Amino acid sequence: MDEEQMADHGNDAAVGGIAADRLRSIIERVERLEEERKALAGDIKDIFTEAKSAGFDVKVIRQIIRLRKQEPSEIEEQETLLDIYRRALGM
């Protein structure tokens, strides 16, 4: 095998200093995860549809989910500011 053929053969594994197999593996893993995320998003949408049909307010459920992700001190600070702003506006 001459030098040019060896260089061409090496291009299968590394092109321009990039390990093509490794790159392909990373891209395929991300694509699989994106598909899983899409499926999960569909499942979540179905749950919100179920909640709505059961008479629950989906907007409020989303707020509760957002609050549950926060630290209690963050929630308290936001509620305090909300109260101050409401009073400032005469609400």
Side-chain angles (χ1 to χ4, degrees):
M1 201 180 276
D2 70 345
E3 191 173 319
E4 186 177 322
Q5 288 174 326
M6 288 174 63
D8 286 344
H9 182 70
N11 284 345
D12 291 339
V15 178
I18 297 173
D21 291 340
R22 174 70 186 216
L23 177 60
R24 183 176 295 105
S25 170
I26 290 169
I27 290 170
E28 289 171 352
R29 287 170 34 212
V30 170
E31 289 172 338
R32 278 192 302 275
L33 289 172
E34 285 177 345
E35 284 300 316
E36 288 178 29
R37 179 171 48 188
K38 186 177 175 182
L40 289 172
D43 292 345
I44 291 169
K45 183 179 176 185
D46 291 345
I47 293 169
F48 282 123
T49 300
E50 176 186 338
K52 185 175 182 176
S53 68
F56 294 106
D57 187 320
V58 172
K59 200 178 214 182
V60 174
I61 291 173
R62 288 183 189 275
Q63 286 178 321
I64 290 171
I65 292 169
R66 198 168 29 255
L67 287 171
R68 288 171 54 113
K69 291 178 184 177
Q70 296 178 348
E71 294 294 322
S73 60
E74 291 177 63
I75 296 170
E76 185 179 342
E77 181 181 340
Q78 288 177 3
E79 288 175 347
T80 300
L81 284 173
L82 183 59
D83 185 50
I84 291 169
Y85 291 178
R86 281 182 177 159
R87 282 189 280 146
L89 296 171
M91 298 175 71

